[in-house]
Amino acid sequence: FKPKVSPHGLAGIFQLSLGCILLQQALNGNLSGFENGSIILILHWISSLFMASGAIGILKQAEPKFRFVFKYTALIQIILVYFSYRFSVYHQILPITKWVDMCFGALYVALVFILIIYSYININI
């Protein structure tokens, strides 16, 4: 078994670091990065997408019983990044926005329920 090179780990470090900066600002009452836009917010989205796509790329390295969970949590991550962008100052309302919101919203709820059921049945921790 030889590990595959993936942006998952490095992107995860950036995502976590940027997320901590955003959280610290929010907890201190400084919401300007969210209200007016911020390069930190954009970099957080990009690193999140790289982390999720990198996770999908290295699924075969995980134990078989966890691959399903990792794949669908990566998809949930991508959906959450979309909604973070969607409700930011950067998003422009387009005619397709309503349909994408409905599809991603339904997909999010379905994936959460699928993961709950799969984990309950197949993963005995």
Side-chain angles (χ1 to χ4, degrees), residues 9-24:
L10 186 59
I13 292 169
F14 282 122
Q15 179 199 23
L16 186 60
S17 300
L18 295 168
C20 286
I21 292 169
L22 291 169
L23 178 63
Q24 185 264 338

